[in-house]
């Protein structure tokens, strides 16, 4: 029997998609430069049993199976593989909120924003907030260990995962962790799956920790003539307090956002910094004042604070929209480097040097309080020379981060885009250990091969 025959025998007709027109949008994620393959079928699983069935067929035929959430990944992680099966979780949308235990049990196909909305109905909050929170899935967030804007104070996805249900490469289902806040029984295997980019198992349910909603935030906005000054302000702020967000946009990204959204942002500034405090009441004002002072001391050309929630949200929306707005300028190769906080000014200087050396435009945005930056290399993909320069710039930024004691990816994952830099960051011993873990969990190598590791 063929792969398609076996899928048809194991799953209902409406779960297995083979029409090339319907398959087409399932081939890509948002890494524009990754060329995806053509899957033999897309399985739109409704439940854990569907996932098990698809994995068993993939294992029997030794064909790749690519888990897919909403396809907003920026590293090629859910890009389809030739002749493989793409396993979409978009229909796995169960949700149960336990307001007393303050947990949510969610299907992987729910959008991050939907989990937030459901929690809010109980006065609760699911903090991890990638800029893409309205369009990305919780399963994708688990698999990439997504970060976001409030992570500087509240932590990243893995900090909110209490339990996981995972389908392994042979179709076995395992349930890891549970609803307890503390649990040190055995190895913390759920953390192994968080951030594993679909290469170790397929997440079919997650138990997430919720928090009480924070008070409304005060927002500080500051502009700088020089982006390195903004980097110095970030270092000072982080030495003094833990803001609820601390986000940076350089001139190119400010201009790109202003061109599209017309918000009245100052396109002549070298950089814009957004800081937030949600400590509440007088404490928020005190923290906002610390952020303002740090910006002024670093040479800000303009500093203002607002307690108006709508105004603050508008400014954060400007930051969240930065990637799509910069994408209006051309094809974008998105770096995702991280450095220790004191090295932020050095990283920004290094990126400027890379842009000059390679004659490329690099817009810089970042979750500055985490030392996590997205230098966006903009180029014309139809111009081979420009493409070659952009690829060089993309790699040189990662090299610079590594030279500063940093990482090649803070939250977007390795996918296919950054695999070439795994060796320089991890070294041979850690790569060998990683390969042993992969071999133990996926001996046939069917789970998202060629990605992440
Ligand atoms: C405009 C924009 C802004 C963004 N901002 C941020 C940001 O601030 N922070 C951030 O972290 N990311 C950000 N991202 C990247 C992206 O949204 C995240 O990586 C997100 O977590 C991906 O979710 P997804 O559902 O789209 O996953 P997909 O792209 O579908 O998949 C991502 C990876 O997860 C795997 N996967 C998906 N579902 C499962 C599952 N159930 N089990 C196992 N593996 C699975 C896939 O195989 C793939 O390797 C941004 C993206 C865009 C387009």
């Amino acid at each position: 029997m063929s792969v398609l025959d076996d899928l048809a025998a194991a799953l209902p007709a409406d779960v297995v998609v083979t029409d090339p027109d319907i398959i087409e949008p399932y081939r890509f994620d948002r890494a524009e430069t990754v060329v995806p393959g053509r899957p033999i079928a897309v399985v739109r699983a409704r439940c854990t049993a569907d996932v098990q069935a698809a994995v068993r067929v993939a294992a029997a035929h030794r064909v790749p199976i690519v888990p897919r959430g909403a396809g907003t990944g920026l590293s090629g992680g859910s890009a389809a593989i030739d002749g493989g099966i793409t396993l979409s979780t978009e229909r796995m949308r169960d949700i149960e909120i336990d307001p007393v235990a303050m947990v949510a049990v969610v299907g992987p196909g729910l959008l991050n924003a939907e989990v937030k909305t459901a929690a809010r109905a109980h006065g609760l909050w699911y903090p991890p907030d990638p800029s893409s929170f309205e369009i990305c899935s919780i399963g994708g967030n688990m698999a990439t260990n997504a970060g976001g804007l409030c992570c500087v104070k509240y932590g990243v996805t893995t900090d909110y995962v209490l339990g996981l249900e995972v389908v392994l490469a042979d179709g076995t289902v395992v349930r890891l962790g549970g609803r307890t806040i503390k649990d040190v029984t055995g190895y913390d295997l759920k953390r192994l799956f968080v951030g594993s980019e679909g290469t170790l198992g397929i997440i079919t349910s997650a138990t997430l920790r919720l928090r009480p909603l924070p008070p409304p935030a005060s927002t500080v906005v500051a502009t700088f003539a020089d982006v390195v000054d903004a980097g110095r302000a970030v270092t000072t702020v982080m030495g003094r307090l833990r803001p609820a967000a601390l986000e940076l946009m350089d001139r190119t990204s400010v201009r790109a956002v202003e061109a599209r959204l017309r918000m009245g942002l100052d396109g002549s500034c070298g950089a814009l910094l957004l800081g937030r405090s949600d400590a509440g009441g007088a404490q928020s004002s005190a923290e906002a004042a610390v952020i303002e002072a740090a910006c002024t001391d670093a040479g800000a050309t303009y500093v203002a604070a607002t307690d108006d929630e709508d105004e603050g949200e508008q400014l954060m929306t400007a930051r969240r929209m930065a990637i799509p707005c910069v994408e209006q300028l051309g094809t974008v190769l998105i770096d995702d480097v991280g450095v220790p906080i004191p090295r932020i000014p050095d990283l920004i200087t290094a990126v400027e040097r890379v842009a000059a050396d390679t004659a490329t435009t690099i817009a810089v945005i970042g979750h500055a309080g985490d030392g996590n930056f997205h230098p966006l290399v903009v180029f014309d993909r139809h111009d081979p020379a420009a493409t070659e320069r952009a690829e060089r710039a993309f790699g040189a930024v990662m090299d610079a981060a590594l030279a500063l004691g940093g990482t090649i990816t803070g939250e977007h994952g390795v996918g296919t885009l950054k695999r070439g830099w795994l060796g320089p960051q991890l070294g041979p011993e850690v790569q060998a250990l990683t390969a042993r873990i992969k071999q133990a969990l996926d001996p046939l190598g069917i789970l998202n091969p060629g990605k992440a590791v």
Side-chain angles (χ1 to χ4, degrees), residues 14 72 88 90 111 114 123 143 150 198 215 218 269 281 299 308 316 332 364 366 380 384 387 391 393 452:
D14 73 316
T72 69
S88 166
E90 69 197 318
L111 301 182
E114 293 175 316
C150 74
S218 303
C269 71
D308 184 291
M316 299 316 281
V332 177
V364 178
D380 175 0
T387 304
E391 283 169 355

Side-chain angles (χ1 to χ4, degrees), residues 29-30 66-74 76-78 89 108 129-132 135-149 196-199 201-204 319-320 323-324 327 367 374 411-412 448 451:
D29 68 1
R30 294 285 291 267
V66 179
R68 181 184 178 89
T72 69
L74 295 169
S78 60
T89 61
D129 61 343
S131 298
S132 51
I135 53 173
C136 64
S137 77
I138 279 289
N141 291 175
M142 302 290 132
T144 55
N145 193 9
L149 281 69
S196 65
E197 300 187 47
T199 61
I202 301 181
I203 296 163
T204 46
R319 163 62 190 87
R320 287 192 193 100
I323 291 178
E327 282 173 342
H367 309 301
H374 304 313
E411 57 181 22
H412 295 166
N448 218 3
K451 318 280 181 67

Side-chain angles (χ1 to χ4, degrees), residues 47-187:
C47 57
T48 303
D50 287 354
V51 177
Q52 288 180 281
V55 168
R56 285 185 178 130
V57 172
H61 291 269
R62 301 195 175 204
V63 296
I65 183 158
V66 179
R68 181 184 178 89
T72 69
L74 295 169
S75 306
S78 60
I81 296 176
D82 276 333
I85 299 167
T86 288
L87 187 292
S88 166
T89 61
E90 69 197 318
R91 295 167 76 181
M92 299 178 69
R93 297 174 45 78
D94 288 346
I95 181 163
E96 175 213 331
I97 306 275
D98 180 342
V100 182
M102 295 211 292
V103 300
V105 183
V106 303
L110 283 165
L111 301 182
N112 176 301
E114 293 175 316
V115 175
K116 283 191 198 309
T117 303
R120 182 176 274 270
H122 297 273
L124 296 171
W125 184 39
Y126 175 66
D129 61 343
S131 298
S132 51
F133 75 105
E134 287 165 310
I135 53 173
C136 64
S137 77
I138 279 289
N141 291 175
M142 302 290 132
T144 55
N145 193 9
L149 281 69
C150 74
C151 299
V152 59
K153 178 167 179 179
Y154 291 102
V156 296
T157 299
T158 193
D159 299 312
Y160 293 87
V161 182
L162 296 176
L164 285 182
E165 180 185 86
V166 182
V167 173
L168 302 179
D170 64 356
T172 309
V173 178
V174 290
R175 293 182 184 86
L176 307 164
R179 294 189 182 208
T180 57
I181 304 300
K182 294 174 78 177
D183 179 2
V184 294
T185 316
Y187 297 143

